[in-house]
Amino acid sequence: MAVRCQMAIFYMTEKIDNLAAVGFLAGFSDAAHFSREFKKAIGMLPSEFKASL
């Protein structure tokens, strides 16, 4: 799971703004699963992380 979250971080830093697309590209089945697993691995929601960039 952490590898997919790292991939998601890479996509977010590459200026992909659509978080659902980021989750899909990183291999998550849906946006809710992506948000849940990202928060577990990174400690914040994907939207919070994206806002901090």
Side-chain angles (χ1 to χ4, degrees), residues 36-50:
R36 199 170 42 249
E37 295 302 324
F38 192 90
K39 181 159 182 151
K40 273 194 237 178
I42 307 302
M44 63 178 76
L45 293 171
S47 58
E48 295 169 335
F49 182 85
K50 181 72 174 167

Side-chain angles (χ1 to χ4, degrees), residues 1-25:
M1 212 54 69
V3 171
R4 287 194 272 173
C5 289
Q6 292 300 322
M7 288 174 56
I9 289 171
F10 169 77
Y11 291 128
M12 282 188 256
T13 59
E14 291 297 310
K15 306 300 183 219
I16 297 176
D17 292 327
N18 184 322
L19 291 177
V22 168
F24 177 75
L25 289 169

